[in-house]
Structures are given as C-alpha cells and as structure tokens.
Amino acid sequence: MFHPAVQTWFDRSFAAATPVQLAAWREIEQGHDVLIAAPTGSGKTFAAFLCAINRLVLESREGVLPESVQVLYVSPLKALSNDIEKNLQLPLQGVEDWLAVEGMGKAGIRAMVRTGDTTPGEREQMRRHPPQILVTTPESLFLLLTSASGRAMLSTVQEVIVDEIHAVAGSKRGSHLSLSLVRLDALLPKPARRIGLSATQKPIQEIANFLTGGRACRIVDTGHQRQRDLRVEVPQSPLSAVMANEVWDEIYNQLQHLVETHKTTLIFVNTRRLAERVARHLAERFADSLGESAVTAHHGSLSRDHRLEAEQALKSGRLRALVATASLELGIDIGHVDLVCQLGSPGSISAFIQRVGRAGHGVGEIPKGRLFPLSRDDLIECIALLRSVEQGMLDQVHIPQAPLDVLAQQLIAELSTRDWDTAELHALVRTAWPYRQLERPAFDQIVDMLADGYATRRGRRGAYLHHDAINGRLRARPMARLTALQNGGAIPDQFDYDVILQPQGYRVGTLNEDFAFESLPGDIFQLGNNSYRIHKVEQNRVLVEDAHGLPPTIP
C-alpha cells in the first residue's frame, strides 16, 4: 500500500513490520478512526505516522505540497513531542534521498514542534511557513485554537494522532483536550480522522469513545503483556514507616552497583525533590570512578536546554544514569536503556509498566526493571504491584464527567474567536465524550455565570461574554481572548520563581515559591547536577552564581 520511497526506507530500517503495524495500516488505509493498543516498543507510533507520510508523498507526486498543517500529533509531554519530531526526520530524509536517487522531485514534507519550549522566532517561522506535520501538546493546541494565526494554521488538518491517550483520559486535562478536539472539528470543512495510541488502557472501549466522542472507532488491540525481567530490591536493614539515613546509604550503594554493572540506567522517582537528592548522592559516589557528569537529574523544573542535553547525553551514551520524574515516563526514544530502577511505588500499574518499558524499548527486547520500596507500607504496595503485572492486570481509567471549570475556560476561548448560537454551541460541546450527558440547564448556568460575572466592592468582575438571551446568541467581551490565552490548561499553576545565573543572565530552571521565599542570600542549593549560591531574591526571580561544586547548605 506504500509508495516505493516509503517502502524502501522502511525495508532498510526494519527487519519486518510488527503485527500491530500490519493490523493498524489496514484500518488506517480504509479511512477509519482507529485506537491502537500494543506493548511499549512495538512500533505503534510508526504505525500511525507511516500512513500519514505515505499520503503526503503521494500528494507531492501530483503537485507541490501546500504549506499547511495536514497531520496534527498531540502528546502529553514536551519531551515526547521533541523526540517524535526528531524521529520523524529519519523517514522524511530517507524518502527525500530515494526520490533524489530516482531523479524525482522533492516531496517537501516538513515536521515541526510547537510546545511551551518553542522560541518566539520558531513560532514566527511556523506562522509564515506552516509544516505539513505539526507536533504539539494539549495546552499548546488550546492556545493555537484561541489565536487567529493558530486557527489559520490548523484550518487544513485532516488527521489527528493522540499519543499516550491513557495518560490524559482519566483527568481534567483529558476533558480539556476532548473539547479542544471538537473545537478543531468545528473549524474544519469535515471532522479530522482521529488515531489514538497507548500501551496501557482499560476499559478499551471507553478509551475509544473518549478518542472519537462516541463515533465508530476500529480497535487494534495486541494486548499489553510481554516478557519482563522484574524484581523487588530490599535493603539489608529492616524497612520502617520512614526511611532512616543508613538505609538510604544502602539503597545508594545498591543503585551504584546496578549502574556500574549496566551500560545505561534510568532511575525513576516520584518527586522533583527526590530526583535532585538522588542525583547528587550518586554523583558524589561516581566522582572517582565514572566522573560526576555520569549522572544527572531530569524533571519539569529544569530549563529546556538542561532537559534536552540530558536526553541527548543518555541517547549518545555519555550518561551512565539519569534520575527522572514522570517527565520521561512515556514513549520517548532516549536510546538504549539497559535497566530501569523505580524508587518507591509509582502508585499505578500503568505507570510502572510504562516506566519499565523504557528499558528494552524495541521490538523483541526484554524490559528489565528493579523496584525499591522506601517504607514498610511501600513494600506491601510494591509486592501487590508486581503480582498485578504478572497477572496482566491494568488500572481502570475513570473519565471525569463534564467538569464545568474546564468547560467555562473553553467557552471563553472559543467565543473569543467567533460568535455562536447558544443551542449550536451546546450541541458542539456534547460531541466531546466527557460532556455527552451535559444537560442544557447546566450549560446555561455556566453561560450566565460567564456573562454576569460576580459582585465585588468595586463592581462586577469576571464577565467575559455577552449573552443575547432573546435571540440565543453569544459573543465575547474584549478581555476574553487575553484571559483565555494567559490562563489556559488544567495543570495547576505552581507560582515558581525563575533561577537566573549571574553574570550571564541565563535561566537555569525554577524554584518552588515557598523554597525561594524562605531562602537567604548566601544559601547554596542544588539544581540539576550543579550547586548555586543565592545572590538576591527578587519578585518572581532568584539571582544566583555558580557555587563551583560546594555542597548545599539547604536541603
């Protein structure tokens, strides 16, 4: 079914197609909405992307491809978005090379990424010359749908790929995404085809309904079970309710041994604070043998440059260990990882399967994982977790039913772009699966709240809409668009302080508000692999200087 350029690149790159790819290609080729469920490392992403690339190659043979977004890829993580964009360059370059050898014209297919990390220059370039494949996150999709230039860019989308769909379906973030997808459909001449990808989803029919809003959806399910090498690692000292320092020393020693006996190790922890602490203690242990730069931390508070550098260092083999939070949990290609260690129970079966799947992230490989309980209660949970994985069990995803705060946010955003008939807007909202049972009275109450605002001593505030109740029309007030753009999304705001390295003026990461508020000039703290001395704490900024490896004075 593929153009020779695509077929040749695939044959040169892979020994054969996997069962999930063969099954998915058949369904995608027939034009269906498709949900693909398969184990980590089975080639799900290429199953979706190769058909899209093939379609674009065939279109390029008929004439010059227009500079317009036709394929929209949405992932829940910035790191996953960056990685997908990099991996797309391989097949796209392979196609161009084959066409050049055969003396045919270029296909001219481009892929770009749009997330919170995208620089203003890159955004302007994207606005002027949109790519055919746009890689983004749910929050950036919301912003694009709320801006005039973003809507113009998305008005030609034919296909939407939602990766790691289980990671958002069970939260308000998923409800937010489902409303963004129906807003996108309202922008298009005909609804875009949707393709969902995940390794862990239950109940699978409910996830399919979430993907399509209840439209018919073909399910390609090759299961989530695969052979795994899993074990619980328990220290010699007895575990208690709280981990003692000497027991932590035993765990660090075990981790050191595992890192030294494997080529690359990914260590998952559940908090950013623990990521920093474990990275620092391991760096001290490796200072003489492997060098302090053999290990570093990776989490959302670190700067974009540090995160990308850590991902590339692990991929190239310069890092022996990377200590990460959920920022590296999902299907990111970070090169070959031999071992995954999990400190403390991750709290769900799906998260553990995803994290262990980072090791042996390839067709035919066996993931290797070690689970470190951090308390007596944690030990019981870890044993239950391993037993659940062995029995092929999964967490059940509970999709929130019509969260109204998310609805209010999306209504302001949509009405800031165009006027709507109240009944038509209600009907549109109900095509999103979490809002399928939203009754008109509840919808009208939200509209009234957004139109009337609330009373304060200084008058009414928070009135973002004009509601013509007689004619059933809605339109936005002047501040609606700016309010939506500045306050979008369902991820809680952390009120973090930027950390600025002096005298260079670089942003090296962020600190939690209370941490920054309680710090004093002269204090030394750890961020990533480096220690910094606080020079001055300003409003929303902490000015620091390099402490040149001095140990932190505050935890």
Side-chain angles (χ1 to χ4, degrees), residues 22-296:
L22 292 172
W25 289 336
R26 281 194 296 270
E27 299 294 353
I28 294 171
E29 190 66 18
Q30 292 172 26
H32 301 299
D33 290 338
V34 183
L35 177 63
I36 304 171
T40 303
S42 57
K44 297 185 299 298
T45 309
F46 267 132
F49 267 123
L50 215 61
C51 283
I53 292 172
N54 183 64
R55 179 169 59 78
L56 291 169
V57 170
L58 292 173
E59 284 183 26
S60 73
R61 300 304 88 201
E62 298 170 6
V64 178
L65 274 178
E67 286 191 334
S68 60
V69 177
Q70 297 188 43
V71 180
L72 181 67
Y73 169 93
V74 184
S75 86
L77 288 181
K78 291 178 189 174
L80 186 52
S81 299
N82 290 324
D83 179 70
I84 289 295
E85 190 261 342
K86 284 191 181 75
N87 283 347
L88 275 174
Q89 304 306 333
L90 291 172
L92 294 180
Q93 188 58 50
V95 165
E96 297 290 12
D97 291 346
W98 187 91
L99 292 172
V101 169
E102 295 297 317
M104 301 182 184
K106 284 188 172 184
I109 306 168
R110 293 182 303 116
M112 295 181 75
V113 63
R114 171 67 185 262
T115 68
D117 284 342
T118 307
T119 63
E122 290 169 335
R123 292 179 191 184
E124 179 60 22
Q125 181 191 353
M126 200 179 300
R127 188 183 67 79
R128 291 182 180 179
H129 305 287
Q132 286 79 23
I133 302 174
L134 180 62
V135 178
T136 189
T137 60
E139 288 69 35
S140 290
L141 172 61
F142 170 80
L143 295 177
L144 287 168
L145 285 166
T146 309
S147 69
S149 60
R151 289 173 73 83
M153 194 189 306
L154 296 175
S155 62
T156 53
V157 169
Q158 298 180 29
E159 188 171 283
V160 179
I161 300 169
V162 183
D163 204 352
E164 306 295 357
I165 191 169
H166 76 282
V168 293
S171 67
K172 286 186 179 181
R173 201 175 172 209
S175 306
H176 196 271
L177 174 60
S178 69
L179 286 172
S180 289
L181 291 177
V182 300
R183 287 178 60 202
L184 175 66
D185 281 348
L187 183 64
L188 304 174
K190 67 171 187 175
R193 178 175 47 183
R194 298 181 192 174
I195 299 173
L197 312 173
S198 179
T200 51
Q201 40 200 336
K202 175 189 174 184
I204 196 162
Q205 184 58 55
E206 185 74 359
I207 301 293
N209 290 333
F210 172 81
L211 172 67
T212 64
R215 294 197 309 244
C217 181
R218 298 297 180 93
I219 297 174
V220 175
D221 184 10
T222 59
H224 62 275
Q225 282 293 73
R226 61 189 292 199
Q227 189 179 350
R228 299 181 182 91
D229 176 4
L230 304 176
R231 201 166 71 208
V232 173
E233 296 279 352
V234 183
Q236 295 293 321
S237 304
L239 287 167
S240 56
V242 179
M243 182 82 80
N245 281 337
E246 58 268 21
V247 185
W248 269 115
D249 282 336
E250 288 185 37
I251 286 182
Y252 292 138
N253 291 335
Q254 285 176 285
L255 286 172
Q256 181 182 0
H257 172 71
L258 288 170
V259 170
E260 288 174 343
T261 53
H262 292 84
K263 190 175 178 183
T264 48
T265 304
L266 193 53
I267 302 169
F268 280 108
V269 295
N270 295 332
T271 63
R272 295 173 179 182
R273 183 180 298 179
L274 188 55
E276 295 286 357
R277 198 169 77 194
V278 172
R280 182 171 73 85
H281 281 285
L282 288 180
E284 288 173 357
R285 280 170 159 72
F286 293 140
D288 297 330
S289 56
L290 303 175
E292 283 195 11
S293 60
V295 59
T296 191

Side-chain angles (χ1 to χ4, degrees), residues 478-497:
M479 282 297 291
R481 188 193 299 261
L482 186 61
T483 303
L485 290 173
Q486 289 181 336
N487 301 281
I491 299 173
D493 204 341
Q494 299 294 331
F495 299 106
D496 288 342
Y497 279 54

